[in-house]
Amino acid sequence: MNEPPTPELLSLVLTLRPLAAPQPDRPLPKWWGRAAHTLLLATVSAGDPALAARLHDEDGLKPFTTSTLMGRFQRGQPLPDQTYRLRFTALTAELSATLLAAAHSGPLAPGARVELDYLSFEILAAASAEDSTGWPGATTYQDLGARRLLAGSAPERRITFSFTSPVAFKSKDRTMPLPLPDLVFSSLLQKWNAFAPLALPAELRRYANECLAISRFHLRSHGVGAKDDGLRVGAAGEITYTTLNYDRYWMSLIHALGEFARFAGVGAAVSQGMGQARRLPTPGRED
């Protein structure tokens, strides 16, 4: 019997419970993305120190994302009777295998204790199987692409994203906080072509730029703390793009990248919690 292929794409969702109350004289972060980034690297280091060193030292695109800590807070502090979620994603088989091993019987397994900033949490669950929330998952580039490119039905002419953390882009030495179609799909295409075994055509960026338009949005601005008391401003919410020049092949690729967004994130600072995104069922046509 053939073994299933090793997942190259992983979205691992952790459920956490705080183990102690915050210390009054030690402030906690308003944005937990940097703490999540530190935890991911420490987890990888426990299983594969060489891989962790590469992830830390190599410049350029990173093959992972993290989320901020998600749940109910009171004055910026997690509550002892609440549970929280944290999400890690991986874009290579090597990293996916390391995180899955950690979630099975390592430092991310249920019952393990982890630290975010200085606060301890117990891991209650680690999910990578698809569920009703639409966030966990594990697949390969080939399977993800084939679901769209080999589908019997024509792809929709619209695609909708949910940005559950602020999305922003570096453009001409400035931060662009609006998810314009060419920026969104250029970000996803760059990530895909950096890590997938088979590249998608560069002309896809031109199609997104010239043929996709925003047809619906519900966005709000959101600031995220950065180093040296800096602030990154991004947009969170939902947005729909519609093609002005329908082409089955190009829209199949657009929807494949839409599925990829759950694993890759969109835009800048996705390794520290920004740009958490996933494709949603497209709303009904407007009147």
Side-chain angles (χ1 to χ4, degrees), residues 86-166:
L86 191 69
R87 194 170 74 101
F88 294 149
T89 74
L91 304 182
T92 66
E94 182 183 25
L95 181 54
S96 293
T98 301
L99 291 178
L100 285 172
H104 182 261
S105 57
L108 299 183
R113 296 188 177 193
V114 297
E115 281 198 357
L116 289 169
D117 203 71
Y118 70 84
L119 204 60
S120 293
F121 292 80
E122 179 187 5
I123 296 180
L124 303 180
S128 60
E130 302 277 349
D131 66 15
S132 60
T133 70
W135 284 111
T139 188
T140 65
Y141 288 95
Q142 180 178 352
D143 286 349
L144 190 152
R147 285 202 299 268
R148 287 295 172 178
L149 291 170
L150 302 181
S153 58
E156 296 179 22
R157 64 184 305 115
R158 293 180 293 166
I159 184 169
T160 298
F161 285 94
S162 170
F163 296 111
T164 57
S165 68

Side-chain angles (χ1 to χ4, degrees), residues 12-224:
L12 180 68
V13 179
L14 305 174
T15 303
L16 310 169
R17 178 177 65 88
L19 290 175
Q23 300 176 24
D25 59 337
R26 296 186 65 181
L28 288 169
K30 295 180 180 179
W31 183 257
W32 295 78
R34 293 180 67 185
H37 181 277
T38 299
L39 175 58
L40 182 142
L41 290 181
T43 299
V44 175
S45 182
D48 189 337
L51 174 58
R54 294 202 309 272
L55 294 178
H56 182 271
D57 296 338
E58 289 181 356
D59 294 329
L61 298 174
K62 303 291 186 182
F64 66 89
T65 79
T66 71
S67 73
T68 188
L69 191 64
M70 298 173 284
R72 182 176 168 227
F73 295 82
Q74 188 173 65
R75 298 187 182 90
Q77 297 183 349
L79 302 170
D81 59 343
Q82 297 291 313
T83 59
Y84 296 83
R85 289 179 298 119
L86 191 69
R87 194 170 74 101
F88 294 149
T89 74
L91 304 182
T92 66
E94 182 183 25
L95 181 54
S96 293
T98 301
L99 291 178
L100 285 172
H104 182 261
S105 57
L108 299 183
R113 296 188 177 193
V114 297
E115 281 198 357
L116 289 169
D117 203 71
Y118 70 84
L119 204 60
S120 293
F121 292 80
E122 179 187 5
I123 296 180
L124 303 180
S128 60
E130 302 277 349
D131 66 15
S132 60
T133 70
W135 284 111
T139 188
T140 65
Y141 288 95
Q142 180 178 352
D143 286 349
L144 190 152
R147 285 202 299 268
R148 287 295 172 178
L149 291 170
L150 302 181
S153 58
E156 296 179 22
R157 64 184 305 115
R158 293 180 293 166
I159 184 169
T160 298
F161 285 94
S162 170
F163 296 111
T164 57
S165 68
V167 60
F169 305 87
K170 294 178 182 177
S171 178
K172 298 179 181 178
D173 298 323
R174 297 182 181 181
T175 297
M176 165 56 75
L178 297 175
L180 302 176
D182 61 320
L183 296 177
V184 169
F185 290 98
S186 291
S187 170
L188 291 169
L189 180 63
Q190 185 182 28
K191 276 282 191 76
W192 179 288
N193 286 351
F195 300 109
L198 183 64
L200 298 180
E203 291 82 0
L204 183 56
R205 177 176 183 176
R206 180 178 176 182
Y207 181 83
N209 183 42
E210 296 181 357
C211 300
L212 294 185
I214 297 170
S215 57
R216 181 197 295 260
F217 65 91
H218 185 265
L219 300 170
R220 63 189 183 280
S221 61
H222 194 299
V224 172

